[in-house]
Amino acid sequence: MVPVSYYLILSGILFTIGTVGILVRRNALIIFMSIEVMLNAVNLTFLAAGRYLNSLDGQVIVFLVLTVAAAEVAVGLALIVAIFRSRGTTDVDEVNLLKW
Amino acid sequence: MLYQAWIIPILPLLGAAANAFLGARLGKRFVSLVACGTVGLASLGSAWVFADLTRLPAGERLVMLPMYQWIGTGDFQVNFALQIDPLSAVMLLVVSGVSFLIHVYSTGYMAEDRGYARYFTYLNLFVFSMLLLVTANNFLVLYVGWELVGLCSYLLIGFWYERKAAADAGKKAFIVNRVGDLGFALGVMLIFVTFGSLDYQDVFAGAPQMLAVGSVTATTITLLLFVGATGKSAQIPLYVWLPDAMEGPTPVSALIHAATMVTAGVYMVARTHALFELAPFSLSVVATIGAVTAFYAATIALVQTDIKRMLAYSTISQLGYMFLAVGVGAYAAGIFHLTTHAFFKALLFLGAGSVMHTLGGETNMLKMGGLRLKLPVTYWTFVVGALAISGFPGLSCFFSKDAILWQAFASPRGGMVLWAIGLATAALTAFYALRAVFLTFHGESRLTVEAEGHIHEPPSNMALPLALLAALAALGGYLGVPGILGGSDAFGSFLAPVFRGEAWMALETQAPANELGLMGLSVLAAFLGMGLAWYFYLARPEAPGVLARRFGGLYALLVNKYYVDEIYGGLVVQPLVALAHFLGERFEVTVIDGVVNGVGRTVAASGAWLRRLQTGFVRNYALSIFLGAVIVLGYFLFR
């Protein structure tokens, strides 16, 4: 039996990877994938905690998160496609018109 | 009809509304029909009410017409209520009747004016306001009417607002009236504080119990009310607006001077006599101001060359008579003079208007002369008016002025001095009235050739009101022939139930020989004035010039109206204008604008600095979100 702390540590590592990915990468698609990694890190925490506490609530929430994430992916990818069409790049530093 | 009397004030209001909204579209025929029709119906209604009222026994002639509850908050209960009693009925008849004649006259006088519909809208509104004022059943409704006549006078005096003089005169009338209205409003508030009610019945019935004779409260209330009256009725010190009010169309002057507006103050003092009776000091103030104003204004009228201004000062003088009457407790005599004055002053103004009309707006009497043969109708009606105001025996003013002088002499509140001032004024009145007749209608024509060619008699819609008013001015006095001349003073005894003043009753027992003697003296004074006018302006036309040179200082004082306008201008107007300039050009620019602009500049500066946060790089935003999350998390973990 793997102790729950392992799951939490793995989840923390995944979340950190995602965060760093968002902060350091410029490609919108990579940033997007990093967000997904962060989401799944959180999902893992929920599952581990649910298993540890003998509760189904964690799994229920994970289903909810998956559903929302699916919708979010659809919208996000559509946005990235639209940006690419209009500006010919997916580099977020090139998309900086909204500023002072 | 008594219980439907509320229709009377409503009719002119409906007329005003119809003319305001439809008048410009439906043409002059419609406007004249509506304006004259509604006021005509109102005067018919007044006559009906009057007739119904006389059929009631003398003691029961008081009809209340509560319309609806107007204000009801806690202790402050005011109904919108009207009342009909002998005083209201007389005022209704005078106001609506004279107004009707002036309306008819106006259809001729204003026929060519662009603002025809606007003019009649204001005129109807004016009549409505005055009818409301005289039928009010409590002080608040009275106040509404009081303010509305002020507004209407402003609108009508400044009717030709393209002319600066007219616009200024309108403003002056309104502002001077506001000064008086402030006093009146304070008086009404003090009445409410004292009596807890604004209804006439409650206040007048409660007054003798709640206030001692001569108490400070009673004196304060009545003096405040009288301040309002001096503004509205053009007495010293607030009379200055009335001569300038001549900038309005002449029928408006007739309306203001005869039927509406200036009589409001006299009516109000007579109406609240129950309060004034408790304040002997206030009554003596009223009588003194009245007598002094009468004399003072008459002296100014002596030297005016503008026919309308001369009539304006004459009105101030005659109003002084009315205040003299109510001040000595002769309320019925005051209202009687108000009535006869309405007839002859409307007549004189409309006569002057018809002279001006035919001379293309000329008002300077020195440029007229010799119009007697060319304008016979105007001439004869004007002569009737002038003789009436002079107190020619048998004409209306003879009876009313005599009643006032007699009571000023005999009343316990009057005395020799008041009577002597009144008598001197009577002589002056006769002089200036006849002077106007001689300068305008007699002697050599001083008209320009061009004006001479245009002269024509007024059309019938102007001549007919003149004739009717002449008849009223001649015969109106027979309403109140005093007992000493074999009459029964029907006017006085009709009003007697309203005025229970002891002073008035006490006169009944006075020796009649006195009254005849005084009457003879005042007739003598009138003939003296007329004779002097004849000597100066017909027999020896060069004499006035000689006299003016001989007494140059006095003449200049009178021509310049005692410099009162200049004094007021220096003491009140200039400092206020200077203050306004300071506030407008210094305070506004530096302080107010400084604060407003300062706020704007601060926000703009901080925005300019803060907008650097908005880099446009998504990762910067993500970093700040991340750091924020860490800080929040850290706070909850380590607190």
Side-chain angles (χ1 to χ4, degrees):
Chain A
M1 172 96 187
V2 184
V4 71
S5 58
Y6 284 27
Y7 291 104
L8 291 184
I9 289 166
L10 176 60
S11 162
I13 290 168
L14 282 175
F15 194 86
T16 312
I17 290 171
T19 310
V20 172
I22 288 176
L23 293 182
V24 302
R25 298 305 291 263
R26 292 187 198 160
N27 192 321
L29 277 171
I30 306 288
I31 292 176
F32 206 55
M33 283 160 62
S34 305
I35 293 175
E36 292 302 313
V37 171
M38 286 167 77
L39 272 176
N40 283 308
V42 175
N43 281 349
L44 187 61
T45 317
F46 271 123
L47 289 174
R51 182 84 176 91
Y52 178 70
L53 297 173
N54 257 334
S55 159
L56 281 178
D57 291 356
Q59 299 188 24
V60 171
I61 292 201
V62 167
F63 276 119
L64 186 67
V65 171
L66 283 178
T67 320
V68 171
E72 179 241 314
V73 166
V75 174
L77 283 176
L79 281 173
I80 290 168
V81 169
I83 288 171
F84 184 76
R85 274 191 190 153
S86 69
R87 304 191 64 87
T89 176
T90 53
D91 185 339
V92 290
D93 285 0
E94 300 285 309
V95 189
N96 61 354
L97 274 184
L98 191 64
K99 64 171 182 182
W100 51 278
Chain B
M1 183 64 189
L2 275 180
Y3 288 90
Q4 286 78 43
W6 50 269
I7 294 173
I8 295 171
I10 295 290
L11 278 169
L13 182 63
L14 291 177
N19 278 339
F21 294 118
L22 306 171
R25 227 167 294 160
L26 295 182
K28 292 186 175 176
R29 283 182 63 87
F30 170 81
V31 171
S32 355
L33 200 69
V34 167
C36 298
T38 49
V39 180
L41 283 176
S43 59
L44 281 181
S46 306
W48 193 352
V49 163
F50 188 83
D52 277 356
L53 199 67
T54 52
R55 274 202 286 278
L56 292 175
E60 295 166 18
R61 288 175 185 164
L62 172 62
V63 178
M64 314 273 249
L65 305 164
M67 311 284 289
Y68 58 91
Q69 190 187 43
W70 184 15
I71 301 171
T73 50
D75 288 338
F76 189 51
Q77 303 283 339
V78 182
N79 288 323
F80 203 96
L82 306 181
Q83 75 171 26
I84 303 293
D85 69 350
L87 180 57
S88 304
V90 166
M91 291 299 291
L92 274 180
L93 262 185
V94 173
V95 171
S96 59
V98 174
S99 301
F100 173 63
L101 294 178
I102 293 172
H103 271 71
V104 173
Y105 180 92
S106 297
T107 58
Y109 192 87
M110 300 297 283
E112 308 301 323
D113 201 278
R114 278 191 300 127
Y116 196 75
R118 185 164 62 92
Y119 175 81
F120 277 100
T121 306
Y122 295 163
L123 219 56
N124 272 11
L125 193 64
F126 211 156
V127 176
F128 158 72
S129 322
M130 193 64 191
L131 292 176
L132 185 69
L133 193 153
V134 299
T135 49
N137 177 239
N138 59 50
F139 283 97
L140 212 57
V141 179
L142 176 71
Y143 187 72
V144 170
W146 190 266
E147 291 290 348
L148 277 175
V149 292
L151 169 70
C152 294
S153 69
Y154 163 74
L155 293 172
L156 281 169
I157 293 168
F159 180 73
W160 288 316
Y161 53 83
E162 303 95 336
R163 290 208 335 249
K164 182 167 166 31
D168 284 350
K171 257 191 297 186
K172 186 172 180 182
F174 195 71
I175 293 169
V176 173
N177 264 298
R178 297 252 30 97
V179 177
D181 292 350
L182 176 67
F184 186 66
L186 288 176
V188 171
M189 289 174 206
L190 194 55
I191 286 173
F192 180 74
V193 171
T194 312
F195 297 97
S197 168
L198 288 174
D199 279 353
Y200 287 163
Q201 275 69 32
D202 297 344
V203 173
F204 297 152
Q209 284 97 54
M210 297 179 68
L211 296 174
V213 174
S215 65
V216 179
T217 316
T219 310
T220 316
I221 290 176
T222 46
L223 282 181
L224 284 172
L225 292 180
F226 183 60
V227 168
T230 58
K232 203 64 63 185
S233 292
Q235 296 295 291
I236 291 172
L238 296 179
Y239 69 90
V240 286
W241 64 271
L242 194 61
D244 285 24
M246 295 302 111
E247 293 296 336
T250 309
V252 170
S253 307
L255 192 67
I256 290 180
H257 289 245
T260 57
M261 186 85 182
V262 295
T263 54
V266 182
Y267 165 80
M268 190 269 292
V269 175
R271 172 61 80 197
T272 57
H273 69 281
L275 295 172
F276 277 90
E277 289 286 335
L278 296 174
F281 175 71
S282 304
L283 274 179
S284 60
V285 169
V286 173
T288 313
I289 292 222
V292 171
T293 307
F295 184 77
Y296 168 88
T299 57
I300 299 178
L302 293 179
V303 297
Q304 293 296 315
T305 52
D306 181 317
I307 188 167
K308 284 179 76 183
R309 279 182 188 267
M310 189 281 290
L311 288 174
Y313 281 106
S314 154
T315 301
I316 299 174
S317 171
Q318 298 299 313
L319 287 163
Y321 267 122
M322 297 174 209
F323 277 107
L324 171 61
V326 294
V328 300
Y331 307 109
I335 298 295
F336 186 32
H337 194 57
L338 189 161
T339 310
T340 57
H341 176 256
F343 298 150
F344 62 70
K345 191 48 67 66
L347 170 62
L348 287 173
F349 263 115
L350 298 187
S354 104
V355 171
M356 283 171 59
H357 194 60
T358 191
L359 296 185
E362 182 59 60
T363 57
N364 191 338
M365 288 192 283
L366 298 180
K367 294 185 183 163
M368 297 176 187
L371 293 170
R372 171 173 44 126
L373 300 171
K374 299 190 178 97
L375 301 169
V377 175
T378 313
Y379 170 64
W380 283 111
T381 50
F382 198 87
V383 164
V384 170
L387 287 179
I389 194 177
S390 308
F392 194 82
L395 299 181
S396 57
C397 188
F398 165 71
F399 296 105
S400 57
K401 194 182 290 180
D402 243 27
I404 291 175
L405 287 178
W406 158 237
Q407 309 228 22
F409 182 81
S411 157
R413 296 209 185 84
M416 283 292 288
V417 181
L418 291 178
W419 169 78
I421 297 177
L423 191 69
T425 309
L428 296 180
T429 308
F431 179 82
Y432 69 64
L434 268 289
R435 171 178 176 266
V437 172
F438 293 149
L439 276 179
T440 312
F441 295 100
H442 287 258
E444 293 293 307
S445 171
R446 295 177 293 275
L447 295 168
T448 58
V449 182
E450 191 203 355
E452 195 102 37
H454 292 155
I455 292 182
H456 57 89
E457 273 287 33
S460 59
N461 53 357
M462 284 162 75
L464 212 61
L466 281 177
L468 278 173
L469 281 169
L472 285 170
L475 305 175
Y478 292 95
L479 294 169
V481 181
I484 194 81
L485 291 179
S488 58
D489 194 7
F491 197 89
S493 46
F494 179 66
L495 287 177
V498 184
F499 305 125
R500 294 170 300 270
E502 315 82 47
W504 192 77
M505 294 297 176
L507 287 175
E508 302 293 303
T509 56
Q510 291 276 349
N514 267 346
E515 190 174 354
L516 270 186
L518 292 179
M519 201 175 275
L521 272 180
S522 64
V523 170
L524 214 60
F527 277 115
L528 179 73
M530 292 191 238
L532 280 177
W534 172 81
Y535 177 78
F536 275 121
Y537 292 97
L538 278 191
R540 301 268 314 279
E542 74 282 1
V546 175
L547 207 63
R549 272 191 296 283
R550 189 84 170 276
F551 301 97
L554 185 66
Y555 182 73
L557 191 67
L558 291 180
V559 167
N560 290 301
K561 298 155 264 176
Y562 295 93
Y563 298 101
V564 166
D565 274 332
E566 284 76 10
I567 294 170
Y568 281 8
L571 283 184
V572 182
V573 179
Q574 294 302 334
L576 284 177
V577 169
L579 180 67
H581 272 295
F582 168 73
L583 290 178
E585 287 156 17
R586 298 263 172 278
F587 190 77
E588 169 83 20
V589 171
T590 53
V591 179
I592 308 271
D593 284 2
V595 168
V596 172
N597 290 340
V599 169
R601 255 185 238 121
T602 313
V603 170
S606 45
W609 182 71
L610 280 171
R611 70 179 182 175
R612 286 169 202 290
L613 290 177
Q614 207 85 26
T615 56
F617 294 113
V618 178
R619 285 174 304 144
N620 289 6
Y621 307 152
L623 183 63
S624 55
I625 292 172
F626 175 70
L627 288 178
V630 168
I631 290 168
V632 171
L633 210 63
Y635 172 76
F636 281 112
L637 282 178
F638 300 109
R639 65 171 171 172

